[in-house]
Every structure is written in C-alpha cells, then in structure tokens.
Amino acid sequence: MHTAAFADYRSYPLISALATVQALPDQVLVQWADGRWSPFHHPWLRDNCSCPQCVYPVTREQVLEILDVPEDLACSSAQIDHQGCLQVIWQDGHQSRFDPGWLRAHAYDPQSREERRVARAHSRLWDSSLQLPVFEYQAVMDDPQALLQWLLAVRDIGLTQVRGAPTEPGALAAIARRISFIRESNFGVLFNVQSKADADSNAYTAFNLPLHSDLPTRELQPGLQFLHCLVNDAAGGESIFVDGFAIADALRREDPEAFRTLCEIPVEFRNKDRHSDYRCLAPIIALDALGQVAEIRMANFLRGPFDAPPEQMPPLYHAYRSLIALTRQARFRLVRRLEPGQLWCFDNRRTLHARNAFDPASGARHFQGCYIDRDELLSRILVLQR
Amino acid sequence: MHTAAFADYRSYPLISALATVQALPDQVLVQWADGRWSPFHHPWLRDNCSCPQCVYPVTREQVLEILDVPEDLACSSAQIDHQGCLQVIWQDGHQSRFDPGWLRAHAYDPQSREERRVARAHSRLWDSSLQLPVFEYQAVMDDPQALLQWLLAVRDIGLTQVRGAPTEPGALAAIARRISFIRESNFGVLFNVQSKADADSNAYTAFNLPLHSDLPTRELQPGLQFLHCLVNDAAGGESIFVDGFAIADALRREDPEAFRTLCEIPVEFRNKDRHSDYRCLAPIIALDALGQVAEIRMANFLRGPFDAPPEQMPPLYHAYRSLIALTRQARFRLVRRLEPGQLWCFDNRRTLHARNAFDPASGARHFQGCYIDRDELLSRILVLQR
C-alpha cells in the first residue's frame, strides 16, 4: 500500500484497528478498536497524504506544501476501506489513504502523546558506585548487536570503556567510524594528548585538569569524546569522571536558587591560539523543553570573566562555587587508570572528565582522542534497531 | 605587566584612567577619570587574577578555581599603583594587579554592559532589492583584508557571491579552507548537486526545491553553505534566496500569534537512507537570550508529521501556512542564475535557499557544495581583526 512511501524504514505494526470514523467540519474523529479516540484535523491529514503525487517515491520526501491547498479544504468523505485503512476523499477530488498502524503511531490525542513521551530513552544517573559498562573491541568491530549494546550504554549512561583495542597510533579512527565520520576541530581529526612544551591548551601539559567538558567554546559541544590509551608508563594521570546530570540534579534539590542561576545566566567560554579565537556565550546548565537537564557546559580553565548585572554577581559566584564543590565530592567521582589498548567513550555534554597530574619524567604517556556528534550516535542506533 | 597573561591576543587600550578606588566590604568600587563608577566584587577580582600562579602563562589558561579560596575572602588593601593599575592585596597575602584598559573592557556596571551590547555585530535585513555583495576569488585567496570584508558580509548580510573561481571539481575546498576545515556530513565533505536516478534527497533530482535550510535534521544546522557552479548548461535551475530573518520579522509584525507559535512548538525534521536516520525536534524560529531571531529551521520536504496537542494543531497549521506564504512573496525573493566559476556562500541558518526546476535533457548541470560552522567563521573574523 502506498503508505510505504512514508514508512521511513520503520514498520508500523497494527496496534489497534480502526473501529469508527466520523467526518466533522474541521477534523476526522477516529475511534479505535481498543476504545481510544483520536482527532485528525483536515490540514494534518492532507499534509500527510503519501500518494506518489504528494511524496516523491524515490526519495520518500514530500513534494506538496500545505499552502498548495486551500486553508479551508474539507473532506467530502471519510471511511474505513476493506483493508482497514482510513480513506479520505477531499472536496477537490484528491484521495488519501492512511494505514492504521502508521496512523496510530502518529496520533496526537493526549494519551497517545503521553505513551510516546514515556517510551523515549531516559538517562540513568550514576555516582561513584557505577558498575562501569565495559565492552570488547573485537565484538563491537564485528558484531552489530554488540555495537548496538555499546551505543545504548553511551546514550543512556554516558560513560563506557572498550578493552582489547590495538595500540597503534590512529587505531582509534576505525572504532569511531563504526558510528560515523569523526568531527574535526582546530585540534585535528584525531588529537594527541601528550605533555608539550609549547602547549596551546592545559590538556597538553602534565597538570591536573579539573572536571570539564571539551570544547565548551563551541556553540555545539562535541557529543561523544573518545580517549584511547597507547602508552601509559607515567606515574599519575588517572582519569576521573562525574555524571554532570547527577551533579545538576543534586544542586537542583540542595540549592534550587543556585541551580536556576546556572540555567539562566550565560557564561563565556574562550579558547584561542595564534590561528583561532573561539568564544561561546551560554549557560552552564541547559534544560530541554520539558525542563530536564539536557547539557552541562563547563571548563573553568576556558571561562572568560563573568559578565552579569552587578546585583547578579554575588549569587552567580555562589552558584558557581556550589557546582564546583559538588564535582569535588567523592560520592560522585569515578577514578580509573587507563591502560594501553583501553579507551573511554563518553557523552561529552553530560559526563565531566578530569585528569590527575602525572609525572612526565617517570615514563611516557600518550593518549589519542576524537569527537563524534550526538546526531551520529542516535542515527547509528536507529539504523541498527531497524 | 603580567595582565598580558589574560591579554587574549587582544589589546585593551586605555579608555579612561582609574581616578579613585574604594575597598568596600564585598567589592572594590572604582571611579574612572571620565566619571563612570564600576563595582568589582571581591570574588570577581580574585577569580580574574592573572598572576603566573593563577594563570599558566604558556597556555594563558586559568589554574585557580575560585573554590580554592574562601567564599568570604576580602581585600586588605586596594589602590592605584604608579603605573595606573588597580593593585589588590588579599587577606591571605595574595596580590593581584589589573590593567585599567582590561578592567574597563570587562566592567559590568550597567553603562559599560550596554556599550558592549550596542557594539556587537547586528544583522542587516534585506529583501529582493538587495545589492548582492560580490567578491573576487583571487582577492579573497591572496589578501587577508579582502577575505575579512567577505566574511563580514557573510556574517552581517548572510548572502554573498564569489566570482572568478576555477571550475575543476574539488576547487571549492581551497576557498572554504580560507575560513577553516569543512564540516563533514553523511553526504560527504564536498557534495555533488546533480540529478541522480537513485536520489536519496530531493536535492539530487531535477525538481524545484522550495525555500529551505540544509540539514535541519541536525541539532546544529550547518552555519555556512557553499554552492559552487562547475557546469550549468541546463535550462532553468535558478537559485532563489530569501532573508529568513526578514521573513520572521514580517511575520512578527503582521501576525504576532503565528510568530509565537513557530517559536514555541517544536517540529520534527527527518532525513533517512539505508545507512542513516537523522531526526531533530526543534522550533522553526529560534530566539536568542535577548528575544532576537537567531535561526530559522525549515525544509518542508524533510518535515515529519506535526505532533502537538489537538488544540494547538489548527494554530500551528495557520502559522506554518503564513510562513510559507511569506517565502513565496516576490518582495523577499532574490533570483539569480549561477554561472560556471561563481559560487554562493550564505548563512544556512538565516538565508533560506531554493532552486527552480531544471531540464536535465537540455544540458549538463553540476554544482558542488560544502558546509562550515558559524564558530569557524567568527573565529576567523576575530583572528583577521587582531
């Protein structure tokens, strides 16, 4: 049936059959066999017509723009056909046909919308007691199901480790590309984390680095960060991780005023060298449309001077201190030393990372890193789930 | 002087000397020679200490975290030294010194903040009467000042043309890299816009394409889009541009309710093929913190079914129709045919683009395109302005 043109590489199983349909002046009101009622307004139905005139079958992309039909276009008949589909005949003679599985999956009555909201992926918060999700390199390289399990952990927990990877420089690219192409930055496609005399970032020193996200200086912080250990003979340099969403959640409960301040007052992050000068002004905590914490943007060593009205300066410093104090609490911190052939893959917009100082005189230390955006992670998961 | 550690590759000229400083219990209150008063709270001053203990001079990045000093740290003295700098001695003995040019540039009294707000770059809205900003390929390749003038036009007007470029495939990369690295997508680093039998996007057909932004299916739409004409022997295929900010501005004035609806109700955009499945849920019009239009996200052929509460569906369709109706008005539309060796560079998050249908039987047509993010544009501008 031609609803396949909107099938979107997904299948829409029949959850409940159409029981009755009523053509009202502005909508078709559907009752399902399980008793649910769903309204479908005329423009919504006409807009979603999937016939080959309205949707180009090769690309599955819409050709019709809703402005091509009159604003008051109504249907002259709506009925259930012998295959159980909703068939609508419009006043201008155009006909549309809707598969009941597809229609139910896109129904926008309150109950259907709430079901979809609940079914969405949710972050699982963690603290220092996290049972670290560990995956095997060869399995994620060879087995799409192992790959999927890894990526779901990255999405929902935001911190994973992969073991058994090769230790040649550049090997990281192969596993990253199991997800998608790598996001380049001014630090390169793959970047080398080594102590350098002419460091253009504190990351390239032997200092300890406080908890931070990478590239808060960009409008879109990289979604995923990879850190791959090639050599680690130096004393110190342990990796430290904190679930930024758990920290934000604690702050929201313990000091709601401080939480609100960090959601509302934008802060500038800066990173500059001889060839680049990046600046981004944004709040440290970003909320999504439902008020849930969606992102943490934080790197003290890349922050510019606070710029806020004088009366907001004391509460801003109070809130900022409170956040840093939480990141320093042992209850949130997971500390691990990475060994050669192991790599971290974590949600850079959620999981803050830090490094203890190391002693470059005690031995060599060489990590490589790269970034991939969240869009690519979610796309790969959807393709693997088809 | 050591404030150079925060100098940020910028210079901070002396606008007005420090006249008097007063140490109050929670702040240092400065009066400038031109009469302005600026408060600087103690934590702000301590946080911005640029001595080599607080800022690592090689990277110019901060080592101190404000939590490393007590919340109630006060100064034991504040005075103007013989070089005209603000010198603060803290109760714990630490000393900080602030250059008056730097201090004035970062003062956060209301007048100083308003001056900075006004000095920020502002978009210049345009319509069909736009005098198209045209630049010469060789000049922007060879002359940093010509490059800067081009990039300022891209930033402030959002639509530019470059002429005199080579017509070899791949030549686009060289001029794009005058700004920075290219943002890759699932369509490649450079993408070819040609009519294809197995098109995975309507862009790769000979159809007309309605006004749209590229990749609205990604959380961050590409900032800049380049379209470079190599061959254009086909009849039709003219480029059409509309200033999306001007359209949004017209909608805001003519139908404020519709404007608000498009700012508030998120819409899903989708793009999928055998190897990818991108989805992004976001409003069509995004506002910045000051309520100004910051971004348009729009491609009817990539839009999923609207998903909103039933009572919002009629106003959403009304608003969406109104927006499309505006994009179709001649007063906003700039129409030009691109010839070989010419290229468009435009702000993909502001300037909507469209293409008339062309006749592939009448001759060959081959464009190449690529994307660069807004971060990279703004960084290059700042470096060129140093």
Side-chain angles (χ1 to χ4, degrees):
Chain A
M1 65 186 99
H2 63 234
T3 51
F6 259 5
D8 215 3
Y9 296 92
R10 288 186 168 185
S11 55
Y12 295 100
L14 183 66
I15 290 167
S16 181
L18 293 166
T20 67
V21 303
Q22 282 175 261
L24 303 181
D26 66 332
Q27 62 184 252
V28 174
L29 184 59
V30 160
Q31 189 181 23
W32 303 91
D34 62 3
R36 185 175 303 178
W37 292 89
S38 299
F40 294 99
H41 291 83
H42 291 149
W44 191 96
L45 287 170
R46 185 63 190 83
D47 189 24
N48 288 295
C49 177
S50 61
C51 83
Q53 271 178 271
C54 294
V55 174
Y56 181 50
V58 173
T59 60
R60 294 183 170 79
E61 290 175 358
Q62 194 175 16
V63 176
L64 175 85
E65 285 189 299
I66 192 65
L67 194 65
D68 298 330
V69 302
E71 186 153 21
D72 58 359
L73 183 71
C75 72
S76 55
S77 90
Q79 56 184 35
I80 303 166
D81 74 9
H82 61 284
Q83 289 184 302
C85 292
L86 170 63
Q87 183 156 43
V88 178
I89 302 176
W90 301 98
Q91 279 172 342
D92 61 4
H94 194 85
Q95 298 193 19
S96 305
R97 194 157 166 271
F98 301 92
D99 172 85
W102 182 90
L103 205 56
R104 177 72 171 228
H106 295 86
Y108 53 90
D109 60 274
Q111 199 177 348
S112 298
R113 298 189 79 229
E114 176 63 13
E115 277 177 6
R116 287 198 293 275
R117 195 190 65 76
V118 170
R120 242 178 265 148
H122 291 283
S123 300
R124 284 180 274 156
L125 301 190
W126 50 267
D127 61 17
S128 62
S129 68
L130 173 70
Q131 181 80 34
L132 182 68
V134 174
F135 299 85
E136 288 303 319
Y137 175 83
Q138 210 53 55
V140 301
M141 292 301 288
D142 297 341
D143 174 5
Q145 280 311 306
L147 177 62
L148 177 59
Q149 294 312 308
W150 175 41
L151 301 187
L152 291 172
V154 173
R155 183 189 70 183
D156 298 335
I157 300 169
L159 176 62
T160 65
Q161 191 179 87
V162 176
R163 293 181 183 169
T167 55
E168 287 83 47
L172 175 58
I175 185 168
R177 293 201 175 110
R178 288 290 283 163
I179 304 176
S180 187
F181 56 86
I182 293 169
R183 171 168 160 181
E184 191 169 351
S185 79
N186 60 313
F187 298 111
V189 174
L190 294 191
F191 50 88
N192 290 292
V193 185
Q194 283 171 301
S195 176
K196 301 177 201 175
D198 62 340
D200 54 356
S201 160
N202 285 356
Y204 304 142
T205 66
F207 298 166
N208 77 303
L209 283 178
L211 283 158
H212 67 284
S213 53
D214 266 24
L215 306 200
T217 54
R218 312 305 153 87
E219 190 170 353
L220 182 71
Q221 299 186 101
L224 305 187
Q225 179 169 173
F226 295 77
L227 280 174
H228 175 209
C229 178
L230 305 178
V231 180
N232 196 0
D233 296 329
E238 294 81 9
S239 304
I240 303 161
F241 295 97
V242 156
D243 183 353
F245 289 2
I247 294 276
D249 183 62
L251 186 64
R252 188 177 218 163
R253 282 181 284 104
E254 295 167 15
D255 191 344
E257 194 54 44
F259 176 83
R260 211 163 55 84
T261 296
L262 295 181
C263 293
E264 289 177 3
I265 301 185
V267 169
E268 191 176 63
F269 293 93
R270 306 171 163 193
N271 184 246
K272 66 278 169 189
D273 66 13
R274 277 178 299 137
H275 306 293
S276 63
D277 197 327
Y278 297 101
R279 289 147 193 270
C280 179
L281 183 72
I284 290 173
I285 301 176
L287 302 182
D288 66 18
L290 298 171
Q292 299 296 306
V293 175
E295 176 167 45
I296 308 292
R297 185 183 293 267
M298 174 73 183
N300 187 68
F301 52 97
L302 300 176
R303 185 174 49 81
F306 285 152
D307 183 11
E311 69 279 9
Q312 290 183 4
M313 204 54 82
L316 177 55
Y317 268 104
H318 170 75
Y320 190 66
R321 289 180 70 96
S322 301
L323 182 75
I324 295 180
L326 283 167
T327 67
R328 293 187 183 184
Q329 289 183 12
R331 61 172 165 145
F332 291 115
R333 293 165 77 98
L334 185 126
V335 183
R336 291 283 193 287
R337 183 184 164 88
L338 203 64
E339 301 298 340
Q342 299 179 342
L343 63 92
W344 297 115
C345 175
F346 58 94
D347 183 339
N348 180 60
R349 298 164 67 187
R350 166 181 175 182
T351 301
L352 301 176
H353 64 294
R355 174 187 73 202
N356 284 331
F358 61 92
D359 176 7
S362 65
R365 186 180 192 272
H366 185 191
F367 284 32
Q368 287 193 314
C370 69
Y371 306 117
I372 288 186
D373 272 327
R374 194 181 282 176
D375 289 326
E376 302 301 325
L377 172 72
L378 300 180
S379 166
R380 182 61 50 225
I381 288 174
L382 287 177
V383 170
L384 289 167
Q385 284 176 333
R386 276 177 189 165
Chain B
M1 64 186 98
H2 62 237
T3 50
F6 258 5
D8 213 3
Y9 296 92
R10 287 187 168 184
S11 56
Y12 294 101
L14 183 67
I15 290 166
S16 182
L18 294 167
T20 67
V21 304
Q22 282 176 261
L24 303 181
D26 66 331
Q27 62 186 252
V28 174
L29 185 60
V30 160
Q31 189 180 23
W32 302 90
D34 63 2
R36 186 175 301 177
W37 292 89
S38 299
F40 295 100
H41 290 82
H42 291 147
W44 191 95
L45 287 170
R46 183 64 190 85
D47 189 23
N48 287 295
C49 177
S50 61
C51 83
Q53 271 178 273
C54 294
V55 174
Y56 181 51
V58 173
T59 60
R60 296 181 169 78
E61 289 175 359
Q62 192 176 17
V63 175
L64 175 86
E65 284 190 300
I66 192 64
L67 194 65
D68 297 330
V69 301
E71 186 152 20
D72 58 0
L73 182 71
C75 72
S76 54
S77 90
Q79 55 184 39
I80 303 167
D81 73 10
H82 62 284
Q83 289 185 302
C85 292
L86 170 63
Q87 184 157 42
V88 178
I89 302 176
W90 301 98
Q91 280 173 341
D92 61 4
H94 194 85
Q95 299 192 20
S96 305
R97 193 157 167 273
F98 302 92
D99 173 83
W102 183 90
L103 205 56
R104 176 73 170 228
H106 295 87
Y108 52 91
D109 61 273
Q111 200 178 347
S112 297
R113 297 190 79 231
E114 177 62 12
E115 277 177 6
R116 287 199 292 275
R117 194 190 66 76
V118 170
R120 241 179 267 147
H122 291 283
S123 300
R124 284 180 275 157
L125 301 190
W126 50 267
D127 61 16
S128 62
S129 68
L130 173 70
Q131 183 81 33
L132 182 66
V134 175
F135 299 85
E136 288 303 319
Y137 176 83
Q138 211 54 54
V140 302
M141 292 301 288
D142 296 340
D143 173 6
Q145 279 311 307
L147 177 61
L148 177 60
Q149 293 312 310
W150 175 41
L151 301 186
L152 290 173
V154 173
R155 183 189 70 182
D156 298 335
I157 299 168
L159 177 61
T160 65
Q161 191 178 86
V162 176
R163 293 183 182 165
T167 55
E168 288 81 49
L172 176 57
I175 185 168
R177 292 200 176 112
R178 288 289 283 162
I179 306 177
S180 186
F181 56 84
I182 293 168
R183 170 168 161 181
E184 191 169 351
S185 79
N186 61 313
F187 297 111
V189 174
L190 295 191
F191 50 88
N192 289 293
V193 185
Q194 283 170 300
S195 176
K196 302 177 199 172
D198 62 340
D200 54 357
S201 160
N202 284 356
Y204 304 143
T205 66
F207 298 168
N208 78 301
L209 283 177
L211 283 158
H212 66 285
S213 53
D214 266 25
L215 307 199
T217 53
R218 311 304 152 87
E219 189 170 353
L220 182 72
Q221 299 185 103
L224 305 186
Q225 179 169 172
F226 294 77
L227 280 173
H228 175 208
C229 178
L230 305 178
V231 180
N232 196 359
D233 296 329
E238 294 81 11
S239 303
I240 303 160
F241 296 97
V242 157
D243 182 354
F245 289 3
I247 294 276
D249 184 62
L251 187 65
R252 189 175 217 164
R253 284 181 283 106
E254 294 168 14
D255 191 343
E257 193 56 44
F259 176 83
R260 212 164 54 84
T261 296
L262 296 181
C263 293
E264 289 177 2
I265 301 184
V267 169
E268 190 175 64
F269 294 93
R270 307 172 164 193
N271 184 247
K272 65 279 170 190
D273 66 12
R274 276 176 301 139
H275 306 293
S276 63
D277 197 328
Y278 297 101
R279 288 147 194 269
C280 179
L281 183 72
I284 289 172
I285 301 175
L287 303 181
D288 64 19
L290 299 171
Q292 299 297 305
V293 174
E295 176 167 46
I296 308 292
R297 185 182 293 268
M298 173 74 185
N300 187 69
F301 52 96
L302 300 176
R303 186 174 48 83
F306 284 152
D307 183 11
E311 68 279 9
Q312 290 183 3
M313 204 53 84
L316 177 55
Y317 268 104
H318 169 76
Y320 190 67
R321 290 181 69 97
S322 300
L323 181 75
I324 295 180
L326 283 169
T327 68
R328 292 187 183 184
Q329 288 183 13
R331 60 171 166 146
F332 291 115
R333 294 164 77 97
L334 186 125
V335 183
R336 290 282 192 290
R337 182 183 164 88
L338 204 64
E339 301 299 339
Q342 299 180 342
L343 63 90
W344 297 116
C345 174
F346 58 94
D347 183 339
N348 180 60
R349 298 163 68 188
R350 166 182 176 182
T351 301
L352 302 176
H353 64 293
R355 174 187 74 203
N356 284 331
F358 62 92
D359 175 7
S362 65
R365 186 182 193 273
H366 185 192
F367 283 31
Q368 288 192 315
C370 70
Y371 306 117
I372 288 186
D373 271 328
R374 194 180 282 177
D375 289 327
E376 302 300 324
L377 172 72
L378 299 180
S379 167
R380 182 61 50 227
I381 289 174
L382 287 178
V383 170
L384 290 168
Q385 285 176 333
R386 278 178 189 165

